[in-house]
Amino acid sequence: MWRASVLTIFPELFPGPLGASLAGRALGQKIWSCEAIDIRDFAADKHRSVDDTPAGGGPGMVMRADVLARAIDAAAPASDLRSRILLTPRGKPLLQSRVRELAAGPGVVLVSGRFEGVDERVVEMRGLEEISIGDYVLSGGEIAALVLIDACVRLLPGVMGKEASHAEESFEAGLLEYPHYTKPQEFEGRPIPEVLNSGHHGKVAAWRREQAEKATRERRPDLWGKRKDDPPKKA
Ligand code: SAM
């Protein structure tokens, strides 16, 4: 079973939306598990404080290293081989390649930050991998943790069903996916592209590839430039 443990001051947020649909069914089937650990349970004072004022001054509060370290050690002793990850806008952007690696492993231990962030020493001393889900600032790491877990869980064997292929999805070949169409044949005067009704598999595949390349070139020049399998042609 693939295991996700999330350290948070809002354990009631888990599994949240991951209790529904495919991920929820897989949770019920014990393909994966979701454990939310309340960081406040590891506080040392009667107020269950997890944060304090920033050293050097400045606004906001910072999560204490000692409290967080106790929570991490309880969730994942040294023998636990799962990746330990801190969700933070300072981290490396989460990519599908890392999602694939994490989904292929035993699971994840995720630290959800709050306030201004967490004391740097716990990041260093517990070897936390810092991951960001995008260049914007959320108010807490919980939604980022749900995003990371969702991306992994849908890749676990048995979650998406046999008919679903990951191979053609966005990012798998360094490209965004081609556009999709279904019935009705005509919607507000716009027909489905003719080639998709041709029944010619080769032509459909070529059209989809062309559309995937066009979307990637136009929307994500960063991805287009990085493609290894088929480097962009000079204009
Ligand atoms: N002061 C921090 C900064 O400027 O980098 C932002 C702190 S944010 C208000 C609180 C928490 O939300 C962070 O500690 C982190 O756990 C989470 N968070 C915010 N944005 C995130 C992102 N883009 N990816 C992952 N986690 C994020």
Side-chain angles (χ1 to χ4, degrees):
M1 179 165 57
W2 192 86
R3 291 170 55 222
S5 298
V6 187
L7 286 86
T8 168
I9 57 170
F10 295 109
E12 66 276 18
L13 297 180
F14 295 87
L18 300 182
S21 190
L22 291 178
R25 197 181 61 195
L27 193 57
Q29 293 170 331
K30 301 201 181 333
I31 293 175
W32 70 288
S33 69
C34 186
E35 172 194 32
I37 295 159
D38 191 345
I39 300 168
R40 289 198 190 280
D41 290 346
F42 299 88
D45 64 337
K46 69 173 194 294
H47 301 294
R48 293 166 44 91
S49 322
V50 297
D51 57 322
D52 216 318
T53 52
M61 300 294 271
V62 176
M63 244 186 214
R64 291 174 59 122
D66 53 351
V67 179
L68 201 46
R70 281 196 291 274
I72 294 170
D73 294 344
S79 57
D80 192 323
L81 298 177
R82 291 177 294 165
S83 295
R84 293 149 191 236
I85 293 168
L86 170 67
L87 283 317
T88 164
R90 298 184 68 225
K92 274 197 191 164
L94 181 62
L95 300 180
Q96 189 67 13
S97 50
R98 186 68 185 122
V99 168
R100 266 196 304 269
E101 288 170 1
L102 292 171
V108 288
V109 178
L110 303 177
V111 179
S112 274
R114 278 275 160 178
F115 319 111
E116 290 307 319
V118 311
D119 188 310
E120 187 66 18
R121 293 169 296 179
V122 76
V123 178
E124 294 165 3
M125 299 306 287
R126 292 298 179 273
L128 302 182
E129 175 184 352
E130 295 177 82
I131 291 185
S132 163
I133 63 155
D135 289 348
Y136 40 79
V137 180
L138 304 168
S139 45
E142 290 77 13
I143 292 173
L146 289 168
V147 166
L148 187 150
I149 297 171
D150 180 61
C152 291
V153 164
R154 64 191 292 285
L155 299 185
L156 299 177
V159 174
M160 294 232 325
K162 273 202 199 92
E163 73 285 1
S165 157
H166 298 298
E168 293 197 346
E169 280 192 322
S170 291
F171 312 114
E172 289 297 333
L175 293 172
L176 301 179
E177 202 183 40
Y178 49 79
H180 299 284
Y181 296 87
T182 185
K183 292 184 179 71
Q185 277 295 337
E186 195 171 303
F187 169 67
E188 297 185 356
R190 295 179 71 91
I192 289 175
E194 222 176 292
V195 60
L196 298 180
N197 293 323
S198 69
H200 192 299
H201 295 308
K203 281 187 186 159
V204 169
W207 181 86
R208 285 180 168 165
R209 173 83 186 185
E210 204 178 284
Q211 292 293 315
E213 291 184 355
K214 180 170 179 279
T216 311
R217 222 171 26 240
E218 290 173 1
R219 300 172 183 195
R220 295 291 304 272
D222 56 323
L223 282 184
W224 181 251
K226 266 194 246 151
R227 273 167 4 113
K228 288 191 201 88
D229 58 334
D230 188 9
K233 295 175 188 71
K234 282 189 188 125

